[in-house]
Amino acid sequence: MTATRTTLVIGATGTTGRRTAAQLIAAGHRVKAAGRRATPLPGTERVRFDWYDPATFDEALTGVDRVYLVPPVGDPEPAPVMVPFLHRAHAAGVRRAVLLSSSAIPEGGPAVGAVHQALPGLFDQWAVLRPSWFMQNFTGTHTHADSIRERGVIETAAGTGRVGFIDADDIAAVAVHALTDDRAPNTDLILTGPQALSHDDIAAILTQVTGRPVTHHHLTYDALRDRLAAVIPREFATMLADMDRAIAEDAEDRTTDTVLRVTGRPPSPFRVVAERELSFPAASVTGPTR
Ligand SMILES: NC(=O)c1ccc[n+]([C@@H]2O[C@H](COP(=O)([O-])OP(=O)(O)OC[C@H]3O[C@@H](n4cnc5c(N)ncnc54)[C@H](OP(=O)(O)O)[C@@H]3O)[C@@H](O)[C@H]2O)c1
């Protein structure tokens, strides 16, 4: 595939979109970076885009032939805004769509599962990325990362269930292949890191890497749901608590070889990602928390 193709990256300021845009640029592809915020991304053309403002769709779609789709975050039913956009994208000349979903959400499942179901009927070239939980939840701007920095704790209802946590850099690497390889995957891809780890394992690795004690607090399902419902809509809080319960019941205790198969290199272990994103000189262990 040549560098003259242009990818619209939706969610280009977010965890996977930012990395996907950067890796596309590094590989010589053109990127239109879409989002509500005007954060500049070197080498990309910026375009304002809001899932809830269809007036932003046409300019975003001008001159692009493929699209990386991050759903509107926190919307429990994104299909009513995403599917009309996808029809418009196809009419505007987009030929390939790569959707970010989740290992926890099957085709036809809740939330983005309905968009997954619609995608093959809309595009001849498509892929649905279904990553496990992100390693960056513990290093970036997620609630877990915040509570680690502020109180040295991870709070979940996941019990001792294990998860095939994945590096967002590896998700982006798969996204780049899915977007630009001559043959599109035309399937969903379950993406994991190299190991399934419990949140107790994660806390132990973070303690070793940062030199500050990190503890996993085991919450009940009800306690987690009620705590989340104090800050986000109850329906979304229940969905997130359900996901933790699924982890506790071992639904995420698996690894796949998809990253290696698609990119030709193995996915990064959590320790490597934590060292890359969280370590700081021993002298500052009691100073900055990230
Ligand atoms: N965290 C995990 O462990 C995990 C695991 C599996 C799957 N996932 C899935 O990953 C997705 C989140 O992806 P991510 O981590 O790459 O994103 P993210 O870091 O949460 O960032 C969200 C991106 O979407 C953009 N955005 C938000 N609302 C928008 C709107 N109304 N219109 C246009 N753009 C909007 C934001 O940019 P602006 O604010 O600039 O608009 C930002 O670039 C979710 O769907 C989640 O289900 C997460």
Side-chain angles (χ1 to χ4, degrees):
M1 191 152 289
T2 70
T4 56
R5 311 291 171 84
T6 301
T7 302
L8 177 68
V9 176
I10 294 175
T13 53
T15 307
T16 65
R18 182 162 42 87
R19 289 170 167 84
T20 300
Q23 291 189 29
L24 282 166
I25 295 287
H29 300 283
R30 283 208 298 248
V31 171
K32 238 173 145 172
R36 296 164 304 174
R37 288 170 287 163
T39 310
L41 290 166
T44 65
E45 179 190 345
R46 280 287 310 171
V47 62
R48 205 184 87 73
F49 176 85
D50 187 339
W51 281 114
Y52 301 106
D53 182 2
T56 63
F57 290 1
D58 285 344
E59 193 189 335
L61 287 166
T62 303
V64 305
D65 69 344
R66 53 209 63 223
V67 59
Y68 177 70
L69 301 155
V70 175
V73 175
D75 188 334
E77 205 189 337
V81 293
M82 292 186 74
V83 172
F85 169 80
L86 292 174
H87 280 284
R88 210 133 130 191
H90 189 266
V94 171
R95 290 294 162 257
R96 189 178 300 196
V98 174
L99 170 68
L100 177 66
S101 179
S102 157
S103 60
I105 302 179
E107 179 180 4
V112 74
V115 184
H116 178 168
Q117 193 166 39
L119 210 61
L122 288 164
F123 297 94
D124 293 336
Q125 301 175 37
W126 62 277
V128 178
L129 307 188
R130 294 182 53 204
S132 184
W133 295 77
F134 300 173
M135 292 176 179
Q136 277 71 16
N137 292 352
F138 306 103
T139 64
T141 55
H142 189 275
T143 328
H144 289 329
D146 291 343
S147 68
I148 290 164
R149 278 192 289 271
E150 288 159 16
R151 293 178 288 126
V153 299
I154 304 168
E155 295 167 319
T156 81
T160 55
R162 297 192 306 166
V163 177
F165 292 104
I166 181 164
D167 180 5
D169 280 1
D170 291 328
I171 301 171
V174 173
V176 169
H177 279 276
L179 285 160
T180 64
D181 283 353
D182 286 338
R183 290 167 73 97
N186 290 351
T187 188
D188 60 342
L189 299 166
I190 296 189
L191 310 176
T192 74
Q195 265 182 303
L197 299 170
S198 69
H199 287 82
D200 295 333
D201 297 330
I202 292 284
I205 294 169
L206 288 171
T207 299
Q208 288 162 9
V209 169
T210 65
R212 300 172 68 232
V214 178
T215 312
H216 176 210
H217 286 182
H218 293 232
L219 303 181
T220 64
Y221 173 91
D222 287 353
L224 178 67
R225 183 202 50 212
D226 294 347
R227 189 177 291 208
L228 291 170
V231 286
I232 59 175
R234 193 164 183 84
E235 188 186 357
F236 191 43
T238 303
M239 194 177 114
L240 293 178
D242 286 347
M243 287 178 161
D244 265 25
R245 178 150 64 189
I247 292 171
E249 292 169 354
D250 293 333
E252 293 291 326
D253 187 357
R254 62 180 155 182
T255 56
T256 67
D257 67 353
T258 314
V259 171
L260 176 62
R261 205 164 27 82
V262 174
T263 70
R265 58 168 186 75
S268 295
F270 181 64
R271 182 180 296 276
V272 169
V273 173
E275 283 169 351
R276 185 180 75 211
E277 300 190 5
L278 288 177
S279 31
F280 38 85
S284 63
V285 158
T286 54
T289 53
R290 58 176 300 190

